[in-house]
Amino acid sequence: MSLLEGLAVALLLASGMLVVTLRNAIHAALALIFNFLVLAGVYVALDARFLGFIQVIVYAGAIVVLFLFVIMLLFAAQGEIGFDPLVRSKPLAALLALGVAGVLLSGLWGLKLAFTQDLKGGLPQALGLLLYGDWLLVLLAVGFLLMVATVVAVALVEPSRPLDALPREEREKEVAR
């Protein structure tokens, strides 16, 4: 292992540990951005330039912006309500995390990392055949998980509507209950 490879591994591990151990969510998101940038550098060093650029554009750009948006929504809800709405969800989140880790580990059980296709330096044409061939379901599952996480985060912070905001007919039904 060369010095640069060792440095990249150390930076990836350190920034990954910071992501999950920092108490401030904004600082954890910044550590995640740093992790994505180092990973993009690793992709470029492995002659997968397209993946490196996509890592910066999609993950370090768009996905982290989405994370920051959700973090700000959660902080706004916490300020309005006066307590942390996610406290009751921690055991469920831990259970779901263990389940996802189990599914990922079971998927790695029979994984063969030898590629039979020439990836041609990570060009989009070669990667498209690989991603939308054998890995199509995995790609769709990741997209679905990101969508569900966004919907759940928005649903958690949606404030209950006061009776004044309801139309007159609905307000009368609520008062009759």
Side-chain angles (χ1 to χ4, degrees), residues 49-108:
R49 295 174 306 277
F50 178 73
L51 284 180
F53 295 140
I54 291 299
Q55 182 75 22
V56 170
I57 293 168
V58 173
Y59 289 103
I63 299 299
V64 173
V65 168
L66 178 68
F67 287 169
L68 290 173
F69 174 71
V70 170
I71 289 168
M72 295 303 169
L73 278 176
L74 290 174
F75 283 153
Q78 185 176 357
E80 290 175 7
I81 298 171
F83 66 92
D84 188 5
L86 299 178
V87 169
R88 294 174 292 166
S89 303
K90 286 183 181 180
L92 178 62
L95 184 65
L96 288 174
L98 287 174
V100 168
V103 168
L104 290 174
L105 288 175
S106 69
L108 288 175

Side-chain angles (χ1 to χ4, degrees), residues 8-18 35:
V9 168
L11 288 174
L12 285 172
L13 288 175
S15 61
M17 290 300 292
L18 286 174
N35 188 291

Side-chain angles (χ1 to χ4, degrees), residues 10 14 26 29 47-48 74 77-78 80 84 104 106 112 130 132 175-177:
I26 302 297
D47 201 28
L74 290 174
Q78 185 176 357
E80 290 175 7
D84 188 5
L104 290 174
S106 69
K112 296 178 183 70
L130 182 68
Y132 293 112
V175 171
R177 288 185 193 181

Side-chain angles (χ1 to χ4, degrees), residues 83-160:
F83 66 92
D84 188 5
L86 299 178
V87 169
R88 294 174 292 166
S89 303
K90 286 183 181 180
L92 178 62
L95 184 65
L96 288 174
L98 287 174
V100 168
V103 168
L104 290 174
L105 288 175
S106 69
L108 288 175
W109 187 264
L111 184 65
K112 296 178 183 70
L113 292 178
F115 292 109
T116 57
Q117 300 174 359
D118 179 24
L119 296 181
K120 299 178 182 104
L123 294 176
Q125 297 86 350
L127 290 174
L129 293 174
L130 182 68
L131 282 178
Y132 293 112
D134 297 336
W135 293 92
L136 178 64
L137 292 177
V138 175
L139 197 64
L140 291 173
V142 168
F144 179 74
L145 284 174
L146 286 172
M147 181 195 65
V148 167
T150 304
V151 169
V152 167
V154 170
L156 281 173
V157 299
E158 181 182 343
S160 59

